[in-house]
Structures are given as C-alpha cells and as structure tokens.
C-alpha cells in the first residue's frame, strides 16, 4: 500500500532532520580536529556517518512504499563551540529533540493507521535511547575530569577507537 501524503510529508521532513544532524556533527568533527582533539573528531565523524545512514533508511522506505522523495535545503550549522563540554551538551539536547521528532512521526503513523511505517519507526525509537545515552556518557566523564586534565586526553584516545558500522541494516 502506497504511503499517504501526510506520512510522505513527515518522513521527508525527517530525512531533512537526519541530514541536518549529519551536517552538524561534521561541523563538530572539523572543530574538534582543529582544536587537536582527534578522538572527539573521529567520534563526531562516525556520528556523521550514522546520521547519513538514518536519512537513507527513511528515504529508501519512502521509495519502497512508492512515495515521492523531496529533498529540501539543509539549513546552516554552527561552526564553533566554547568547549568540548558545551559541544557534547548540545549533542545531547539535539538528540532529545530528534527523539521527539521521531515520536511525532510515530504518532502520525498510528493516527493514519499506517502500521508498516510505525514498525519502521520503532527501529529509530530504540536507536534514540542509545543516541542520548552515548552523549550523556561523554558529558559525565568530561564533568568528572574537566577539560584540561590528563583525563580528557585519555577520553580523546578512547573516542578515537569508535568505528562506523551500519546498524540500519540490522533487524
Ligand atoms: Fe539520527 Fe542521532 O539521530
């Protein structure tokens, strides 16, 4: 069954939101790299790839359901942050916002009785739990160590080990 115009509209909006997230994390990655925090830069770059994969998962779903993909402009993102902590706090706040956007999509899917879309969105609902927790974990460590101690260099090293694996392909 083809998706309704309403579902098509909210899913296209979500594709844009995921791509905007990717853009923001790429900007954070570049900022961290310039500041010499290669581990944070790596973590953010993996985040960029994750967001891109999220956008593609929704875009492919629209296509599979014979909907029309409408790619809107991606708004500009910030290019600098006051500190690693403020960057990570912004990451956490942003992920909470994405969670509410996904929840809104889910509500529209239920209201439209589009259970296939609702099922697809369940993957995102679970993913958001992890997205929020990942950012919070780093915030907690930064608050304990401060940004000028050896602890932050240890954290930076640890974040440098993060690699991208496309979880959107997992059921
Ligand atoms: Fe695609 Fe970070 O949510």
């Amino acid at each position: 069954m083809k998706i309704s115009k309403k579902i098509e509209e909210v899913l296209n909006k979500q594709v844009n939101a995921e791509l905007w997230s990717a853009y923001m994390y790429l900007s954070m990655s570049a900022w961290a790299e310039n500041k010499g925090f290669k581990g944070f830069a790596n973590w953010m770059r993996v985040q960029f790839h994750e967001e891109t994969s999220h956008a593609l998962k929704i875009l492919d779903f629209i296509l599979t359901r014979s909907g029309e993909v409408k790619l809107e402009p991606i708004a500009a993102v910030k290019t600098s942050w006051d500190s690693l902590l403020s960057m990570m706090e912004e990451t956490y706040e942003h992920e909470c916002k994405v969670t509410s956007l996904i929840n809104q999509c889910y509500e529209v899917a239920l209201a439209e009785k589009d259970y296939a879309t609702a099922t697809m969105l369940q993957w995102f609902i679970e993913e958001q739990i992890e997205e929020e927790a990942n950012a919070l974990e780093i915030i907690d460590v930064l608050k304990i160590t401060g940004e000028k101690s050896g602890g932050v260099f240890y954290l930076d090293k640890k974040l440098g080990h993060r690699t991208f694996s496309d979880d959107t392909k997992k059921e």
Side-chain angles (χ1 to χ4, degrees):
M1 192 170 63
K2 202 176 162 184
I3 45 173
S4 69
K5 282 290 157 199
K6 203 163 181 179
I7 296 281
E8 188 180 277
E9 191 184 322
V10 292
L11 292 184
N12 270 303
K13 265 195 182 153
Q14 194 58 34
V15 169
N16 189 275
E18 300 291 343
L19 289 175
W20 188 86
S21 303
Y23 210 32
M24 181 185 77
Y25 290 131
L26 190 60
S27 186
M28 287 176 168
S29 174
W31 178 82
E33 181 82 35
N34 271 339
K35 296 284 169 194
F37 293 107
K38 286 189 177 300
F40 277 87
N42 173 67
W43 194 90
M44 285 299 176
R45 196 173 275 233
V46 171
Q47 202 62 17
F48 160 78
H49 287 300
E50 282 207 357
E51 300 302 350
T52 305
S53 72
H54 296 169
L56 290 175
K57 184 177 176 78
I58 300 170
L59 185 146
D60 285 339
F61 181 83
I62 297 171
L63 292 174
T64 306
R65 299 281 309 280
S66 306
E68 195 182 335
V69 170
K70 291 175 189 153
L71 295 177
E72 298 286 342
I74 300 167
V77 290
K78 269 172 72 169
T79 54
S80 71
W81 286 265
D82 292 337
S83 62
L84 290 171
L85 182 61
S86 74
M87 180 180 77
M88 291 312 305
E89 282 177 337
E90 208 166 296
T91 296
Y92 174 68
E93 282 157 24
H94 176 66
E95 287 304 333
C96 291
K97 201 173 139 208
V98 173
T99 300
S100 62
L101 291 177
I102 294 287
N103 288 345
Q104 283 169 28
C105 289
Y106 192 75
E107 281 164 22
V108 173
L110 291 185
E112 295 277 294
K113 296 194 188 323
D114 185 338
Y115 301 113
T117 297
T119 301
M120 182 276 291
L121 288 168
Q122 271 168 13
W123 182 92
F124 284 89
I125 291 169
E126 280 180 36
E127 173 71 9
Q128 283 309 119
I129 297 170
E130 202 185 301
E131 292 276 79
E132 289 178 23
N134 287 347
L136 267 187
E137 197 183 316
I138 298 170
I139 289 169
D140 287 345
V141 177
L142 278 174
K143 281 184 176 167
I144 293 165
T145 63
E147 294 195 25
K148 297 203 164 44
S149 69
V152 78
F153 293 105
Y154 175 76
L155 176 61
D156 190 59
K157 206 173 161 83
K158 188 173 162 226
L159 299 183
H161 292 137
R162 187 185 190 198
T163 54
F164 172 67
S165 75
D166 192 350
D167 291 341
T168 64
K169 305 288 183 219
K170 292 181 192 154
E171 290 305 316

